[in-house]
Amino acid sequence: MTTTTFSVDGMTCGNCVKHVTEELTALPGVQDVQVELVAGGSSPVTVISEAPLDDAAIAAAVDEAGYAVTPKGSLL
């Protein structure tokens, strides 16, 4: 198992968390997604997967949900 942690900007409510969680869960090998909502700030996101995930795939999934990975996060 691999744990990847990064932050996502712009989420403000539970619905935002739901969209990001759905997109990340759709990535191959993802077992679990946990989001600690910081409304209007950078929300920490932890993804547990079978193998390391591609940073570009994570960024694309978050973008598809309508948000962005925080530039200072571990992915960029």
Side-chain angles (χ1 to χ4, degrees), residues 37-56:
L37 179 63
V38 177
S42 293
S43 300
V45 178
T46 301
V47 178
I48 299 171
S49 57
E50 294 172 355
L53 297 172
D54 180 61
D55 290 352

Side-chain angles (χ1 to χ4, degrees), residues 22-67:
E22 286 174 352
E23 292 297 334
L24 290 169
T25 302
L27 294 174
V30 171
Q31 301 292 310
D32 188 35
V33 176
Q34 298 170 1
V35 179
E36 182 184 328
L37 179 63
V38 177
S42 293
S43 300
V45 178
T46 301
V47 178
I48 299 171
S49 57
E50 294 172 355
L53 297 172
D54 180 61
D55 290 352
I58 291 172
V62 171
D63 182 65
E64 182 67 28
Y67 305 95

